[in-house]
Structures are given as C-alpha cells and as structure tokens.
Amino acid sequence: MSAAALHALVTGGSRGIGAAIVRRLRADGCRVTILSRTLSSGRQLAATDPEGLHAVAADVADAAQLEQALAQARDRFGPIQVLVNNAGQAESAAFLKMDAALWQRMLDVNLTGPMLCSRAVLPDMLQAGWGRIVNVASTAGQKGYAYVSAYCAAKHGVVGLTRSLALELAAKGITVNAVCPGYADTDIVRESVARVVARTGRSEEAARAEFVKTNPQGRLVAPDEVADAVSWLCGEGAGAVTGQSISVSGGEVM
C-alpha cells in the first residue's frame, strides 16, 4: 500500500520519541494523527504541517476518550492503517516502597493503553486487509532493571501482547511488532536524571553516566534512531516481519 494513502496514528506523539516518529512517518508520505493527553501539546507539532498532521487528545487507558478521539481522527484523514503505540510513562520505586497506585499507573498507560488502541483501530485494518501496529516497548520489556519493577512488568506485557496479536493477525495482512529502545535522549530520561540528582546529591553528569553505562556504545539512543526502525516496520519491505521485538539499544540487548 502506498505511504501517501496511509493514515498513521501515533500515541504520545507530541514530544520525544513520539514526535520523531510523527516527523518520520510524515516524511515517508503518511498523513499522521498525533494523539496526546493534552490537545495543546499535539497542536504545536501539528501546526508545523497543517495539511499532513492533525492533533487529538485522549488518555490512552480510557476507552471512551479514545473512541471520541479516533472518530475525530477518521473524520480528518479516514480509516487508520498504521498504529504506533508510543505513549508511555516511567516511575521508579524500590519494590517494598511501591504502592498499588504506582503499579496500576504503570500498567494503565504502558500496557492497557496499547491494548485499547490496538483494539480500536483493528476494524479499519481488517477491512482494508492491510495494517501495521508497532508498539514502542523498551529494553525493560526484554530484561529486568532494579527499582522499576512495575514499568518492567508492563513493558514485558507489551512484548507478550505483540507476539500473541501478531499470531492472530498473521494471515490477515497485518503485522504487529515492537521496538525496544534503551535509555534515550528524551524528557523521560532527563526527568529521571533530575530525580537521581535530587535523591542522591550526585552531580547531573554523574547521574547521567549511570544511564549511559548500560549501552555498550556509551551513549543515549537518539529518538530519530528509534523512528527509523518504526518507519521500516511500517513499510512494505517489512511485510514478512511480525511478532518481533527489535532492540534499539547500542547492543545492550542481543
């Protein structure tokens, strides 16, 4: 299917990795709906290309809000053929200090969100006999990290969802894959560095080094590098690739 005819929906698309994915898919020729929690943030990016970008707002874990937002997206650009489940949130706590509310927040946005979004767009893809779903998971979906057990559990769930849904849809022209970035140069990591500084008194440089050291290349992953992987998975050339979890982490996970 020609990229120029595709309508892509990117959740959490107003900043960081999500914004990089939006820009890349638009450069590929897709018309892109940016879904974010607040409409103002998505509109700022959409304003850079009013003909090809559109912003809607919803909490990805709220089915009613999603239904309304997707109706607006379809009114603008038609049925959705590409879904990138990028919206996510990371919070840290020692396991015995983690409360049930933190656990639920991590599951809601990181796992329930991709499930609800996938369920909402699948009728469009099934009718077209073609579709691409890409879940932005994390290396936290491929290995464990201390002090983020809820986040890791949710992201492992995303990988499992990816594999199961890929099998259900394999004969229907729809692929389902995950990309798993390591620590990336995004607001989430910058906020995490700031929390480490506030909690431990370390310098920002020392705190940042803790995140970089897990990457054998000794650096943070660039959002555009993740967007490149997503772009490939959304294209015709990746039609035989489904159920995969592709690590974009400088060799941290092999």
Side-chain angles (χ1 to χ4, degrees):
M1 187 174 290
S2 168
L6 297 178
H7 176 191
L9 174 74
V10 180
T11 72
S14 63
R15 64 176 188 163
I17 289 173
I21 292 169
V22 167
R23 289 189 291 266
R24 178 55 190 267
L25 292 180
R26 181 59 187 145
D28 290 343
C30 297
R31 296 164 298 167
V32 185
T33 294
I34 304 159
L35 188 149
S36 53
R37 188 182 290 270
T38 60
L39 191 57
S40 58
S41 59
R43 279 180 169 169
Q44 288 182 339
L45 180 55
T48 65
D49 184 359
E51 293 300 313
L53 301 178
H54 177 56
V56 297
D59 178 345
V60 293
D62 186 314
Q65 288 186 28
L66 270 178
E67 182 179 359
Q68 184 176 23
L70 294 189
Q72 295 169 5
R74 292 185 180 101
D75 284 346
R76 178 64 184 275
F77 290 141
I80 297 163
Q81 296 88 19
V82 174
L83 169 66
V84 182
N85 283 310
N86 170 73
Q89 184 180 357
E91 295 184 47
S92 61
F95 185 77
L96 289 179
K97 294 182 179 180
M98 175 185 66
D99 60 21
L102 187 155
W103 173 266
Q104 194 61 53
R105 283 195 302 274
M106 294 300 94
L107 292 181
D108 285 347
V109 67
N110 294 306
L111 181 55
T112 301
M115 180 276 290
L116 289 175
C117 291
S118 298
R119 190 173 66 180
V121 304
L122 269 174
D124 288 355
M125 298 180 182
L126 289 168
Q127 184 171 4
W130 193 97
R132 298 285 187 265
I133 297 175
V134 180
N135 297 317
V136 180
S138 167
T139 49
Q142 299 175 305
K143 58 179 284 188
Y145 292 91
Y147 304 109
V148 285
S149 55
Y151 179 74
C152 282
K155 291 299 189 179
H156 272 71
V158 170
V159 170
L161 175 64
T162 298
R163 291 169 175 164
S164 294
L165 191 54
L167 287 173
E168 287 194 33
L169 300 172
K172 301 182 185 298
I174 302 167
T175 66
V176 187
N177 291 287
V179 293
C180 299
Y183 287 116
D185 192 7
T186 64
D187 289 344
I188 288 178
V189 169
R190 286 188 282 273
E191 290 163 4
S192 295
V193 168
R195 285 195 294 269
V196 171
V197 170
R199 189 166 58 238
T200 68
R202 296 180 186 177
S203 67
E204 182 176 337
E205 182 179 358
R208 184 183 176 92
E210 287 297 307
F211 291 89
V212 171
K213 74 178 184 181
T214 62
N215 184 324
Q217 293 180 340
R219 64 182 180 88
L220 296 176
V221 174
D224 284 344
E225 293 175 310
V226 183
D228 284 347
V230 172
S231 171
W232 173 66
L233 289 170
C234 291
E236 290 286 355
V241 180
T242 194
Q244 303 304 305
S245 300
I246 299 173
S247 187
V248 185
S249 62
E252 180 182 354
V253 175
M254 295 186 181

mmCIF file with all atom_site columns, all heavy atoms in Angstrom, residues 212-228:
data_model
loop_
_atom_site.group_PDB
_atom_site.id
_atom_site.type_symbol
_atom_site.label_atom_id
_atom_site.label_alt_id
_atom_site.label_comp_id
_atom_site.label_asym_id
_atom_site.label_entity_id
_atom_site.label_seq_id
_atom_site.pdbx_PDB_ins_code
_atom_site.Cartn_x
_atom_site.Cartn_y
_atom_site.Cartn_z
_atom_site.occupancy
_atom_site.B_iso_or_equiv
_atom_site.pdbx_formal_charge
_atom_site.auth_seq_id
_atom_site.auth_comp_id
_atom_site.auth_asym_id
_atom_site.auth_atom_id
_atom_site.pdbx_PDB_model_num
ATOM 1   N N   . VAL A 1 212 ? 23.919 5.995  30.857 1.00 0.00 ? 212 VAL A N   1
ATOM 2   C CA  . VAL A 1 212 ? 24.715 5.736  29.652 1.00 0.00 ? 212 VAL A CA  1
ATOM 3   C C   . VAL A 1 212 ? 25.492 4.429  29.758 1.00 0.00 ? 212 VAL A C   1
ATOM 4   O O   . VAL A 1 212 ? 25.721 3.737  28.762 1.00 0.00 ? 212 VAL A O   1
ATOM 5   C CB  . VAL A 1 212 ? 25.671 6.925  29.387 1.00 0.00 ? 212 VAL A CB  1
ATOM 6   C CG1 . VAL A 1 212 ? 26.670 6.599  28.284 1.00 0.00 ? 212 VAL A CG1 1
ATOM 7   C CG2 . VAL A 1 212 ? 24.867 8.167  29.025 1.00 0.00 ? 212 VAL A CG2 1
ATOM 8   N N   . LYS A 1 213 ? 25.887 4.040  30.964 1.00 0.00 ? 213 LYS A N   1
ATOM 9   C CA  . LYS A 1 213 ? 26.808 2.917  31.112 1.00 0.00 ? 213 LYS A CA  1
ATOM 10  C C   . LYS A 1 213 ? 26.211 1.581  30.675 1.00 0.00 ? 213 LYS A C   1
ATOM 11  O O   . LYS A 1 213 ? 26.950 0.632  30.397 1.00 0.00 ? 213 LYS A O   1
ATOM 12  C CB  . LYS A 1 213 ? 27.305 2.826  32.553 1.00 0.00 ? 213 LYS A CB  1
ATOM 13  C CG  . LYS A 1 213 ? 26.290 2.301  33.551 1.00 0.00 ? 213 LYS A CG  1
ATOM 14  C CD  . LYS A 1 213 ? 26.894 2.208  34.950 1.00 0.00 ? 213 LYS A CD  1
ATOM 15  C CE  . LYS A 1 213 ? 25.922 1.588  35.950 1.00 0.00 ? 213 LYS A CE  1
ATOM 16  N NZ  . LYS A 1 213 ? 26.505 1.517  37.310 1.00 0.00 ? 213 LYS A NZ  1
ATOM 17  N N   . THR A 1 214 ? 24.886 1.478  30.613 1.00 0.00 ? 214 THR A N   1
ATOM 18  C CA  . THR A 1 214 ? 24.286 0.212  30.185 1.00 0.00 ? 214 THR A CA  1
ATOM 19  C C   . THR A 1 214 ? 24.388 0.006  28.677 1.00 0.00 ? 214 THR A C   1
ATOM 20  O O   . THR A 1 214 ? 24.204 -1.111 28.186 1.00 0.00 ? 214 THR A O   1
ATOM 21  C CB  . THR A 1 214 ? 22.801 0.146  30.597 1.00 0.00 ? 214 THR A CB  1
ATOM 22  O OG1 . THR A 1 214 ? 22.079 1.194  29.945 1.00 0.00 ? 214 THR A OG1 1
ATOM 23  C CG2 . THR A 1 214 ? 22.651 0.282  32.103 1.00 0.00 ? 214 THR A CG2 1
ATOM 24  N N   . ASN A 1 215 ? 24.648 1.062  27.934 1.00 0.00 ? 215 ASN A N   1
ATOM 25  C CA  . ASN A 1 215 ? 24.762 0.990  26.480 1.00 0.00 ? 215 ASN A CA  1
ATOM 26  C C   . ASN A 1 215 ? 26.216 0.732  26.101 1.00 0.00 ? 215 ASN A C   1
ATOM 27  O O   . ASN A 1 215 ? 27.085 1.545  26.402 1.00 0.00 ? 215 ASN A O   1
ATOM 28  C CB  . ASN A 1 215 ? 24.278 2.307  25.866 1.00 0.00 ? 215 ASN A CB  1
ATOM 29  C CG  . ASN A 1 215 ? 24.263 2.302  24.344 1.00 0.00 ? 215 ASN A CG  1
ATOM 30  O OD1 . ASN A 1 215 ? 25.121 1.710  23.702 1.00 0.00 ? 215 ASN A OD1 1
ATOM 31  N ND2 . ASN A 1 215 ? 23.301 2.992  23.765 1.00 0.00 ? 215 ASN A ND2 1
ATOM 32  N N   . PRO A 1 216 ? 26.529 -0.398 25.446 1.00 0.00 ? 216 PRO A N   1
ATOM 33  C CA  . PRO A 1 216 ? 27.914 -0.681 25.070 1.00 0.00 ? 216 PRO A CA  1
ATOM 34  C C   . PRO A 1 216 ? 28.543 0.402  24.194 1.00 0.00 ? 216 PRO A C   1
ATOM 35  O O   . PRO A 1 216 ? 29.767 0.535  24.157 1.00 0.00 ? 216 PRO A O   1
ATOM 36  C CB  . PRO A 1 216 ? 27.815 -2.007 24.312 1.00 0.00 ? 216 PRO A CB  1
ATOM 37  C CG  . PRO A 1 216 ? 26.620 -2.671 24.899 1.00 0.00 ? 216 PRO A CG  1
ATOM 38  C CD  . PRO A 1 216 ? 25.644 -1.554 25.156 1.00 0.00 ? 216 PRO A CD  1
ATOM 39  N N   . GLN A 1 217 ? 27.711 1.174  23.490 1.00 0.00 ? 217 GLN A N   1
ATOM 40  C CA  . GLN A 1 217 ? 28.240 2.277  22.691 1.00 0.00 ? 217 GLN A CA  1
ATOM 41  C C   . GLN A 1 217 ? 28.533 3.508  23.545 1.00 0.00 ? 217 GLN A C   1
ATOM 42  O O   . GLN A 1 217 ? 29.090 4.490  23.057 1.00 0.00 ? 217 GLN A O   1
ATOM 43  C CB  . GLN A 1 217 ? 27.255 2.641  21.582 1.00 0.00 ? 217 GLN A CB  1
ATOM 44  C CG  . GLN A 1 217 ? 27.104 1.545  20.528 1.00 0.00 ? 217 GLN A CG  1
ATOM 45  C CD  . GLN A 1 217 ? 26.123 1.913  19.444 1.00 0.00 ? 217 GLN A CD  1
ATOM 46  O OE1 . GLN A 1 217 ? 25.261 2.790  19.608 1.00 0.00 ? 217 GLN A OE1 1
ATOM 47  N NE2 . GLN A 1 217 ? 26.235 1.248  18.307 1.00 0.00 ? 217 GLN A NE2 1
ATOM 48  N N   . GLY A 1 218 ? 28.144 3.467  24.822 1.00 0.00 ? 218 GLY A N   1
ATOM 49  C CA  . GLY A 1 218 ? 28.462 4.549  25.745 1.00 0.00 ? 218 GLY A CA  1
ATOM 50  C C   . GLY A 1 218 ? 27.706 5.833  25.495 1.00 0.00 ? 218 GLY A C   1
ATOM 51  O O   . GLY A 1 218 ? 28.233 6.927  25.710 1.00 0.00 ? 218 GLY A O   1
ATOM 52  N N   . ARG A 1 219 ? 26.441 5.722  25.080 1.00 0.00 ? 219 ARG A N   1
ATOM 53  C CA  . ARG A 1 219 ? 25.672 6.929  24.771 1.00 0.00 ? 219 ARG A CA  1
ATOM 54  C C   . ARG A 1 219 ? 24.191 6.649  24.927 1.00 0.00 ? 219 ARG A C   1
ATOM 55  O O   . ARG A 1 219 ? 23.765 5.494  25.051 1.00 0.00 ? 219 ARG A O   1
ATOM 56  C CB  . ARG A 1 219 ? 25.954 7.382  23.337 1.00 0.00 ? 219 ARG A CB  1
ATOM 57  C CG  . ARG A 1 219 ? 25.488 6.380  22.273 1.00 0.00 ? 219 ARG A CG  1
ATOM 58  C CD  . ARG A 1 219 ? 25.834 6.855  20.875 1.00 0.00 ? 219 ARG A CD  1
ATOM 59  N NE  . ARG A 1 219 ? 25.410 5.943  19.833 1.00 0.00 ? 219 ARG A NE  1
ATOM 60  C CZ  . ARG A 1 219 ? 24.206 5.964  19.246 1.00 0.00 ? 219 ARG A CZ  1
ATOM 61  N NH1 . ARG A 1 219 ? 23.297 6.850  19.638 1.00 0.00 ? 219 ARG A NH1 1
ATOM 62  N NH2 . ARG A 1 219 ? 23.909 5.112  18.286 1.00 0.00 ? 219 ARG A NH2 1
ATOM 63  N N   . LEU A 1 220 ? 23.406 7.710  24.927 1.00 0.00 ? 220 LEU A N   1
ATOM 64  C CA  . LEU A 1 220 ? 21.960 7.577  24.873 1.00 0.00 ? 220 LEU A CA  1
ATOM 65  C C   . LEU A 1 220 ? 21.521 7.372  23.424 1.00 0.00 ? 220 LEU A C   1
ATOM 66  O O   . LEU A 1 220 ? 22.158 7.862  22.494 1.00 0.00 ? 220 LEU A O   1
ATOM 67  C CB  . LEU A 1 220 ? 21.281 8.822  25.443 1.00 0.00 ? 220 LEU A CB  1
ATOM 68  C CG  . LEU A 1 220 ? 21.513 9.119  26.926 1.00 0.00 ? 220 LEU A CG  1
ATOM 69  C CD1 . LEU A 1 220 ? 20.859 10.450 27.306 1.00 0.00 ? 220 LEU A CD1 1
ATOM 70  C CD2 . LEU A 1 220 ? 20.973 7.993  27.801 1.00 0.00 ? 220 LEU A CD2 1
ATOM 71  N N   . VAL A 1 221 ? 20.439 6.655  23.246 1.00 0.00 ? 221 VAL A N   1
ATOM 72  C CA  . VAL A 1 221 ? 19.881 6.440  21.909 1.00 0.00 ? 221 VAL A CA  1
ATOM 73  C C   . VAL A 1 221 ? 19.176 7.722  21.460 1.00 0.00 ? 221 VAL A C   1
ATOM 74  O O   . VAL A 1 221 ? 18.490 8.384  22.244 1.00 0.00 ? 221 VAL A O   1
ATOM 75  C CB  . VAL A 1 221 ? 18.872 5.274  21.941 1.00 0.00 ? 221 VAL A CB  1
ATOM 76  C CG1 . VAL A 1 221 ? 18.169 5.119  20.600 1.00 0.00 ? 221 VAL A CG1 1
ATOM 77  C CG2 . VAL A 1 221 ? 19.586 3.981  22.340 1.00 0.00 ? 221 VAL A CG2 1
ATOM 78  N N   . ALA A 1 222 ? 19.347 8.077  20.188 1.00 0.00 ? 222 ALA A N   1
ATOM 79  C CA  . ALA A 1 222 ? 18.673 9.258  19.635 1.00 0.00 ? 222 ALA A CA  1
ATOM 80  C C   . ALA A 1 222 ? 17.251 8.908  19.224 1.00 0.00 ? 222 ALA A C   1
ATOM 81  O O   . ALA A 1 222 ? 17.014 7.842  18.647 1.00 0.00 ? 222 ALA A O   1
ATOM 82  C CB  . ALA A 1 222 ? 19.440 9.783  18.418 1.00 0.00 ? 222 ALA A CB  1
ATOM 83  N N   . PRO A 1 223 ? 16.263 9.773  19.507 1.00 0.00 ? 223 PRO A N   1
ATOM 84  C CA  . PRO A 1 223 ? 14.885 9.495  19.087 1.00 0.00 ? 223 PRO A CA  1
ATOM 85  C C   . PRO A 1 223 ? 14.752 9.177  17.604 1.00 0.00 ? 223 PRO A C   1
ATOM 86  O O   . PRO A 1 223 ? 13.948 8.318  17.224 1.00 0.00 ? 223 PRO A O   1
ATOM 87  C CB  . PRO A 1 223 ? 14.145 10.788 19.461 1.00 0.00 ? 223 PRO A CB  1
ATOM 88  C CG  . PRO A 1 223 ? 14.900 11.305 20.653 1.00 0.00 ? 223 PRO A CG  1
ATOM 89  C CD  . PRO A 1 223 ? 16.340 10.999 20.342 1.00 0.00 ? 223 PRO A CD  1
ATOM 90  N N   . ASP A 1 224 ? 15.533 9.852  16.760 1.00 0.00 ? 224 ASP A N   1
ATOM 91  C CA  . ASP A 1 224 ? 15.449 9.592  15.321 1.00 0.00 ? 224 ASP A CA  1
ATOM 92  C C   . ASP A 1 224 ? 15.878 8.171  14.973 1.00 0.00 ? 224 ASP A C   1
ATOM 93  O O   . ASP A 1 224 ? 15.412 7.609  13.970 1.00 0.00 ? 224 ASP A O   1
ATOM 94  C CB  . ASP A 1 224 ? 16.314 10.582 14.541 1.00 0.00 ? 224 ASP A CB  1
ATOM 95  C CG  . ASP A 1 224 ? 15.673 11.963 14.446 1.00 0.00 ? 224 ASP A CG  1
ATOM 96  O OD1 . ASP A 1 224 ? 14.449 12.069 14.702 1.00 0.00 ? 224 ASP A OD1 1
ATOM 97  O OD2 . ASP A 1 224 ? 16.386 12.924 14.125 1.00 0.00 ? 224 ASP A OD2 1
ATOM 98  N N   . GLU A 1 225 ? 16.747 7.565  15.777 1.00 0.00 ? 225 GLU A N   1
ATOM 99  C CA  . GLU A 1 225 ? 17.151 6.180  15.526 1.00 0.00 ? 225 GLU A CA  1
ATOM 100 C C   . GLU A 1 225 ? 15.995 5.219  15.773 1.00 0.00 ? 225 GLU A C   1
ATOM 101 O O   . GLU A 1 225 ? 15.822 4.223  15.059 1.00 0.00 ? 225 GLU A O   1
ATOM 102 C CB  . GLU A 1 225 ? 18.354 5.825  16.401 1.00 0.00 ? 225 GLU A CB  1
ATOM 103 C CG  . GLU A 1 225 ? 19.607 6.597  16.022 1.00 0.00 ? 225 GLU A CG  1
ATOM 104 C CD  . GLU A 1 225 ? 20.770 6.342  16.967 1.00 0.00 ? 225 GLU A CD  1
ATOM 105 O OE1 . GLU A 1 225 ? 20.573 6.446  18.190 1.00 0.00 ? 225 GLU A OE1 1
ATOM 106 O OE2 . GLU A 1 225 ? 21.883 6.054  16.467 1.00 0.00 ? 225 GLU A OE2 1
ATOM 107 N N   . VAL A 1 226 ? 15.189 5.519  16.780 1.00 0.00 ? 226 VAL A N   1
ATOM 108 C CA  . VAL A 1 226 ? 14.001 4.706  17.040 1.00 0.00 ? 226 VAL A CA  1
ATOM 109 C C   . VAL A 1 226 ? 12.984 4.920  15.921 1.00 0.00 ? 226 VAL A C   1
ATOM 110 O O   . VAL A 1 226 ? 12.362 3.972  15.430 1.00 0.00 ? 226 VAL A O   1
ATOM 111 C CB  . VAL A 1 226 ? 13.388 5.058  18.403 1.00 0.00 ? 226 VAL A CB  1
ATOM 112 C CG1 . VAL A 1 226 ? 12.193 4.160  18.707 1.00 0.00 ? 226 VAL A CG1 1
ATOM 113 C CG2 . VAL A 1 226 ? 14.432 4.953  19.513 1.00 0.00 ? 226 VAL A CG2 1
ATOM 114 N N   . ALA A 1 227 ? 12.828 6.165  15.496 1.00 0.00 ? 227 ALA A N   1
ATOM 115 C CA  . ALA A 1 227 ? 11.884 6.477  14.426 1.00 0.00 ? 227 ALA A CA  1
ATOM 116 C C   . ALA A 1 227 ? 12.253 5.758  13.131 1.00 0.00 ? 227 ALA A C   1
ATOM 117 O O   . ALA A 1 227 ? 11.366 5.329  12.379 1.00 0.00 ? 227 ALA A O   1
ATOM 118 C CB  . ALA A 1 227 ? 11.831 7.984  14.199 1.00 0.00 ? 227 ALA A CB  1
ATOM 119 N N   . ASP A 1 228 ? 13.530 5.618  12.846 1.00 0.00 ? 228 ASP A N   1
ATOM 120 C CA  . ASP A 1 228 ? 13.961 4.897  11.645 1.00 0.00 ? 228 ASP A CA  1
ATOM 121 C C   . ASP A 1 228 ? 13.499 3.445  11.686 1.00 0.00 ? 228 ASP A C   1
ATOM 122 O O   . ASP A 1 228 ? 13.047 2.891  10.681 1.00 0.00 ? 228 ASP A O   1
ATOM 123 C CB  . ASP A 1 228 ? 15.487 4.951  11.511 1.00 0.00 ? 228 ASP A CB  1
ATOM 124 C CG  . ASP A 1 228 ? 15.995 6.294  11.026 1.00 0.00 ? 228 ASP A CG  1
ATOM 125 O OD1 . ASP A 1 228 ? 15.176 7.105  10.552 1.00 0.00 ? 228 ASP A OD1 1
ATOM 126 O OD2 . ASP A 1 228 ? 17.213 6.539  11.123 1.00 0.00 ? 228 ASP A OD2 1
#
